[in-house]
Amino acid sequence: MIDLSFYKNKKVLVTGHTGFKGSWMCQLLQMAGAQLTGYALEPPTNPSLFELCHLADHMNSVTGDVRDLEHMQRVFSEARPEIVIHLAAQPIVRESYKNPVYTYETNVMGTVHVLECVRTCPSVKSFLNVTTDKVYQNKEWEWGYREDEELNGYDPYSNSKSCSELVTNSYKNSFFTEAQTAVSTARAGNVVGGGDFAADRIVPDCIRAVQAGEPIIVRNPYSIRPYEHVLEPVTAYLMIAKAQYEDAGFAGSYNVGPDEADCWTTGDLVTLFCDQWNQRSGSSVQWINQHDGGPHEADFLKLDCSKLKKVFGWRPRWNVQTAMEKIVEWAYVYLNGGDVSECMKQQIREFCDIQ
């Protein structure tokens, strides 16, 4: 497990901190005692986990756009971070078809700008760029992709993240070979957890349907994805950032995904949600298959995480069933007006074995 005591009083800057994954990252770093700065647009959803949990009250939360290099350079100069974790992105496949230019501006040039800030900020010792499992050229084969596979995402989102990987590697080779900054990328699978309100994501769609008293609509029930609770990648990111801070030899590219048993079809995942929600609430929620003829999305995709396991002795802690229990727990608290911030903290304590 990650040693969170390492982060006490460390100066950490997180881009995209107001998003779903960023909010869990901020809560964990706040609990660890980090001196935390966030740089992001306003929360991308309403409601938002970031605002529900009042995370801005315990950090330096800066509203900014990663496409604005000059502003971000000022923030870096003032914060003088030691560790930078780049989460900011336009993260939705369907949205990338609607707004490809914005997607590329944010995911490619945004990465260039963050790397330029890192390059010109001498305090930074560890930089991690978080991308996606969709960076690989998807050949729909049955085995997991490894870190040395070809990068060539299909849709504008996936492809822009492939470009982000290439940009990071270029900066690493061009500017950080003899510098004091260690640079890595991390490619995560489909991340689920309490507090995700994004559009066109299956678990938030489930919770919205429950809230509205409607059946759950599933567009692609036979698509296979590697599902993992958000705390799996978030703690892995912190583990990688810590390791390369202490020893630059750990810098590299890492897949962060679940075990093969947790590569589920979308339909099976929604069935699991329905079963657990109905058991907790006494409801009778169901789902229906309704393909809407939307744009291309991969049918089969999973990761080989052997490298992360070998290098760090890392293992996933929560399987899909446990992850769904935590999602349903959080959603039940939220929909019944409970303390979602405390629920979030308790799940972190449980995952990280914090007494």
Side-chain angles (χ1 to χ4, degrees):
M1 286 300 299
I2 176 66
D3 178 14
L4 291 178
S5 64
F6 164 84
Y7 283 94
K8 185 174 178 61
N9 296 321
K10 288 288 190 304
K11 294 182 178 180
V12 183
L13 189 149
V14 178
T15 71
H17 69 290
T18 58
F20 164 59
K21 195 186 291 186
S23 297
W24 281 89
M25 172 74 75
C26 288
Q27 183 63 81
L28 212 160
L29 285 169
Q30 288 177 16
M31 293 170 70
Q35 297 182 38
L36 182 58
T37 297
Y39 187 89
L41 299 172
E42 295 290 342
T45 61
N46 182 23
S48 83
L49 182 61
F50 186 78
E51 292 178 333
L52 286 171
C53 295
H54 306 287
L55 293 166
D57 296 346
H58 307 286
M59 63 182 293
N60 176 26
S61 179
V62 179
T63 300
D65 192 325
V66 290
R67 297 176 298 170
D68 187 345
L69 174 59
E70 184 178 342
H71 181 222
M72 190 158 45
Q73 285 178 320
R74 292 200 301 271
V75 173
F76 268 72
S77 179
E78 294 168 2
R80 299 191 302 277
E82 302 165 80
I83 298 167
V84 176
I85 300 174
H86 179 38
L87 296 174
Q90 190 300 98
I92 306 297
V93 171
R94 288 194 165 209
E95 182 64 25
S96 77
Y97 280 106
K98 298 175 186 175
N99 295 298
V101 173
Y102 174 73
T103 299
Y104 277 99
E105 286 177 344
T106 301
N107 295 354
V108 183
M109 287 309 300
T111 300
V112 173
H113 291 164
V114 175
L115 281 160
E116 187 63 13
C117 289
V118 170
R119 184 179 75 85
T120 57
C121 185
S123 61
V124 181
K125 293 187 62 178
S126 175
F127 170 71
L128 180 68
N129 179 20
V130 174
T131 62
T132 173
D133 58 353
K134 298 176 182 64
V135 297
Y136 297 107
Q137 181 175 355
N138 189 357
K139 300 176 182 178
E140 304 282 354
W141 55 34
E142 295 184 2
W143 53 89
Y145 292 89
R146 296 181 177 179
E147 288 83 356
D148 58 357
E149 306 281 1
E150 182 178 359
L151 304 179
N152 190 3
Y154 181 98
D155 57 84
Y157 164 69
S158 305
N159 187 265
S160 67
K161 282 296 198 174
S162 302
C163 294
S164 176
E165 288 270 356
L166 295 174
V167 165
T168 305
N169 194 54
S170 175
Y171 259 78
K172 182 177 180 178
N173 292 336
S174 301
F175 304 115
F176 298 116
T177 53
E178 298 179 3
Q180 297 299 309
T181 305
V183 175
S184 287
T185 64
R187 304 157 184 174
N190 283 39
V191 175
V192 296
D196 187 359
F197 295 99
D200 289 324
R201 282 188 183 151
I202 190 59
V203 171
D205 285 348
C206 291
I207 295 169
R208 280 188 285 265
V210 164
Q211 188 173 20
E214 300 172 349
I216 300 165
I217 304 299
V218 181
R219 297 190 309 266
N220 298 300
Y222 306 112
S223 297
I224 297 174
R225 296 287 187 273
Y227 291 102
E228 58 186 332
H229 191 274
V230 62
L231 284 172
E232 301 283 4
V234 164
T235 54
Y237 302 157
L238 294 178
M239 177 184 68
I240 295 166
K242 169 185 179 294
Q244 67 179 17
Y245 179 100
E246 297 173 330
D247 181 352
F250 285 106
S253 296
Y254 296 94
N255 288 336
V256 183
D259 289 329
E260 185 166 342
D262 289 319
C263 292
W264 285 44
T265 68
T266 306
D268 286 342
L269 186 80
V270 177
T271 297
L272 180 63
F273 172 86
C274 292
D275 290 346
Q276 294 196 8
W277 180 264
N278 293 339
Q279 182 177 355
R280 176 177 283 268
S281 66
S283 305
S284 56
V285 175
Q286 297 179 323
W287 66 271
I288 57 176
N289 181 0
Q290 188 173 307
H291 181 62
D292 61 4
H296 171 276
E297 295 188 53
D299 288 324
F300 192 91
L301 180 63
K302 62 182 178 181
L303 297 173
D304 183 328
C305 299
S306 301
K307 180 180 178 182
L308 193 70
K309 293 176 179 179
K310 181 178 180 180
V311 172
F312 296 106
W314 175 87
R315 291 289 185 278
R317 287 181 62 86
W318 287 350
N319 61 20
V320 167
Q321 290 92 334
T322 302
M324 189 59 74
E325 288 175 14
K326 303 305 177 186
I327 291 167
V328 168
E329 177 184 57
W330 193 96
Y332 193 81
V333 170
Y334 168 69
L335 293 177
N336 287 280
D339 189 342
V340 292
S341 178
E342 181 54 37
C343 181
M344 184 185 193
K345 292 175 186 176
Q346 182 55 40
Q347 290 185 1
I348 290 173
R349 295 186 197 104
E350 186 176 342
F351 186 91
C352 297
D353 291 332
I354 299 173
Q355 301 302 316

